[in-house]
Amino acid sequence: RRAEEEFEVRAKVVLNATGPFTDGVRKMSDGARSEIITPAGGVHVTLPGYFAPAHTGLIVPKTKDGRVVFMLPWLGAVIAGTTDSVAPITLRPRPTAEEVDFILEALRPYLSVPATRADVTSAWAGIRPLAADPTAGSTENMSRDHVVVDEGDGMVTVTGGKWTTYRLMAEHAVDAAIKAADKYHHAATAGSSSSKSSNSSKSVNGNGKASGAAEEADAAAAAAAAERPMSQRAGPCRTATV
């Protein structure tokens, strides 16, 4: 975001692929929508390379609280992670001392020399948009599948998933957007045909012109249509989940 300036972009379909901000964008179109993602925070740390062999990784499939922890050699160093818990949605997620300590403690039984905070050369945090029940208290057991939804008002949402499935997510999202655009096109075409048919049967006065009442009705309808957001000017689409 470079400035506070707003401008209008016209499109047949809006593709909402905004990660943890998915629900915020959905509610810009319809404030009554229920939330469909749970933000899950994940923290990783970087350790010196001597904590792992150059070509060997380690994964702990289940820690004491059910999470997964791993270590992988990377560019002469070692990356270790991760945490998995409900997190606030923010543009600048930050790792906490407690999360760093959790990673180090989970790895302790597997290292001949335990890593400490002094060994951590960097740490960073991210937010995963999990397509799951937002009322759940934890996130480690939530599905990592992705969801594609035709919102029915010109918006198609894609959320959830993982980096390892991004190509499939993109394919499903684009397919859904094309399908939604075709629906709106057919709905608009049908509406135009209906309008032309209605115009041909208007009452006319002695001069062969449409009556004043018909003209006023047409003007009112056109004004009402112009006031609606672009995403709501076509007919509704069936909500579909892929």
Side-chain angles (χ1 to χ4, degrees):
R1 185 172 187 177
R2 300 177 63 89
E4 297 298 326
E5 181 182 0
E6 294 185 0
F7 55 93
E8 182 176 294
V9 177
R10 297 175 180 270
K12 292 181 180 179
V13 174
V14 173
L15 186 56
N16 177 17
T18 53
F21 305 98
T22 293
D23 286 325
V25 174
R26 294 174 68 244
K27 290 182 179 182
M28 290 172 66
S29 180
D30 183 353
R33 286 194 171 117
S34 59
E35 297 180 348
I36 63 170
I37 70 110
T38 294
V43 170
H44 297 77
V45 300
T46 306
L47 298 169
Y50 53 74
F51 278 101
H55 303 290
T56 303
L58 166 73
I59 183 168
V60 182
K62 190 172 184 180
T63 61
K64 60 184 179 182
D65 66 350
R67 306 187 208 183
V68 174
V69 170
F70 66 86
M71 292 179 65
L72 290 173
W74 180 75
L75 297 180
V78 173
I79 291 179
T82 178
T83 59
D84 199 333
S85 58
V86 176
I89 297 176
T90 174
L91 286 171
R92 297 180 180 273
R94 298 179 181 275
T96 65
E98 292 75 14
E99 290 171 317
V100 171
D101 288 341
F102 166 81
I103 295 172
L104 299 178
E105 183 63 30
L107 294 174
R108 181 181 297 274
Y110 308 95
L111 300 175
S112 57
V113 179
T116 67
R117 280 198 200 176
D119 296 309
V120 176
T121 57
S122 66
W124 68 95
I127 304 174
R128 310 177 188 92
L130 303 185
D133 182 0
T135 64
S138 61
T139 61
E140 64 267 15
N141 294 320
M142 290 182 180
S143 171
R144 266 53 176 177
D145 291 340
H146 65 275
V147 174
V148 178
V149 180
D150 182 341
E151 304 285 3
D153 63 351
M155 180 184 293
V156 172
T157 294
V158 54
T159 192
K162 301 186 295 184
W163 278 6
T164 51
T165 60
Y166 77 94
R167 290 175 64 90
L168 182 62
M169 292 173 64
E171 180 181 347
H172 288 171
V174 171
D175 286 349
I178 293 173
K179 185 176 181 180
D182 287 342
K183 288 182 179 180
Y184 293 133
H185 174 73
H186 293 318
T189 302
S192 176
S193 299
S194 176
S195 176
K196 290 179 180 179
S197 175
S198 175
N199 289 339
S200 66
S201 60
K202 290 177 183 176
S203 59
V204 295
N205 57 26
N207 297 323
K209 297 182 179 180
S211 67
E215 289 180 342
E216 291 177 2
D218 286 348
E227 290 296 324
R228 293 199 301 269
M230 287 299 298
S231 63
Q232 297 179 6
R233 296 187 191 180
C237 284
R238 178 178 60 86
T239 299
T241 301
V242 179

